[in-house]
Amino acid sequence: MSGLSSPLLLAMFLASAGVIWGAGVILSHSTDVLCRRLRLGEALGGIAIQTAVLALLDAAGPRPRRPLTCLAAP
Protein backbone atom coordinates (compact mmCIF):
# COMPACT_ATOMS: atom_id res chain seq x y z
CA MET A 1 0.00 0.00 0.00
CA SER A 2 2.91 2.37 0.59
CA GLY A 3 3.67 2.39 -3.13
CA LEU A 4 0.23 3.77 -4.04
CA SER A 5 -0.31 7.46 -4.70
CA SER A 6 -2.13 9.68 -2.22
CA PRO A 7 -5.09 10.41 -4.53
CA LEU A 8 -5.61 6.69 -5.10
CA LEU A 9 -5.43 5.99 -1.36
CA LEU A 10 -7.90 8.81 -0.70
CA ALA A 11 -10.26 7.40 -3.32
CA MET A 12 -10.00 3.92 -1.77
CA PHE A 13 -10.68 5.39 1.68
CA LEU A 14 -13.73 7.32 0.48
CA ALA A 15 -15.08 4.28 -1.37
CA SER A 16 -14.61 2.13 1.74
CA ALA A 17 -16.29 4.75 3.92
CA GLY A 18 -19.22 4.85 1.51
CA VAL A 19 -19.62 1.08 1.58
CA ILE A 20 -19.49 1.04 5.40
CA TRP A 21 -22.01 3.88 5.59
CA GLY A 22 -24.34 2.06 3.19
CA ALA A 23 -24.04 -1.17 5.16
CA GLY A 24 -24.88 0.72 8.35
CA VAL A 25 -28.00 2.19 6.76
CA ILE A 26 -29.10 -1.26 5.57
CA LEU A 27 -28.40 -2.81 8.98
CA SER A 28 -30.35 -0.05 10.72
CA HIS A 29 -33.29 -0.52 8.37
CA SER A 30 -33.21 -4.31 8.84
CA THR A 31 -33.17 -3.89 12.61
CA ASP A 32 -36.17 -1.55 12.43
CA VAL A 33 -38.08 -4.08 10.32
CA LEU A 34 -37.28 -6.89 12.77
CA CYS A 35 -38.38 -4.75 15.72
CA ARG A 36 -41.70 -4.02 14.05
CA ARG A 37 -42.29 -7.65 13.01
CA LEU A 38 -41.40 -9.03 16.43
CA ARG A 39 -43.18 -6.17 18.23
CA LEU A 40 -40.17 -5.48 20.40
CA GLY A 41 -40.44 -1.71 20.56
CA GLU A 42 -37.51 0.64 20.12
CA ALA A 43 -35.94 0.38 23.58
CA LEU A 44 -36.44 -3.43 23.79
CA GLY A 45 -35.17 -3.77 20.18
CA GLY A 46 -31.89 -2.05 21.08
CA ILE A 47 -31.44 -4.34 24.04
CA ALA A 48 -32.28 -7.38 21.92
CA ILE A 49 -29.72 -6.59 19.22
CA GLN A 50 -27.03 -5.89 21.82
CA THR A 51 -27.80 -9.22 23.49
CA ALA A 52 -27.68 -11.01 20.13
CA VAL A 53 -24.31 -9.44 19.28
CA LEU A 54 -22.89 -10.40 22.69
CA ALA A 55 -24.17 -13.97 22.30
CA LEU A 56 -22.59 -14.20 18.83
CA LEU A 57 -19.28 -12.84 20.09
CA ASP A 58 -19.37 -15.24 23.03
CA ALA A 59 -20.05 -18.22 20.74
CA ALA A 60 -17.29 -17.25 18.28
CA GLY A 61 -14.88 -15.99 20.94
CA PRO A 62 -11.38 -17.15 21.73
CA ARG A 63 -10.60 -20.46 23.35
CA PRO A 64 -10.35 -21.35 26.20
CA ARG A 65 -13.68 -19.79 27.05
CA ARG A 66 -13.55 -16.79 29.34
CA PRO A 67 -16.31 -14.33 30.21
CA LEU A 68 -16.60 -11.32 27.92
CA THR A 69 -15.92 -9.09 30.91
CA CYS A 70 -12.39 -10.52 31.08
CA LEU A 71 -11.81 -9.59 27.43
CA ALA A 72 -12.79 -5.95 28.05
CA ALA A 73 -10.37 -5.48 30.94
CA PRO A 74 -6.91 -4.04 30.13
Side-chain angles (χ1 to χ4, degrees):
M1 294 285 256
S2 63
L4 299 176
S5 66
S6 293
L8 180 59
L9 289 173
L10 180 62
M12 289 171 58
F13 173 79
L14 292 175
S16 299
V19 168
I20 291 169
W21 186 326
V25 169
I26 291 169
L27 181 61
S28 175
H29 176 70
S30 300
T31 303
D32 289 341
V33 170
L34 283 174
C35 286
R36 280 193 299 270
R37 286 185 184 175
L38 299 175
R39 297 184 184 114
L40 294 174
E42 291 197 22
L44 185 57
I47 294 168
I49 195 67
Q50 290 174 15
T51 304
V53 168
L54 286 174
L56 180 67
L57 289 174
D58 190 39
R63 303 291 188 254
R65 290 209 181 268
R66 296 183 307 176
L68 289 175
T69 52
C70 291
L71 299 176

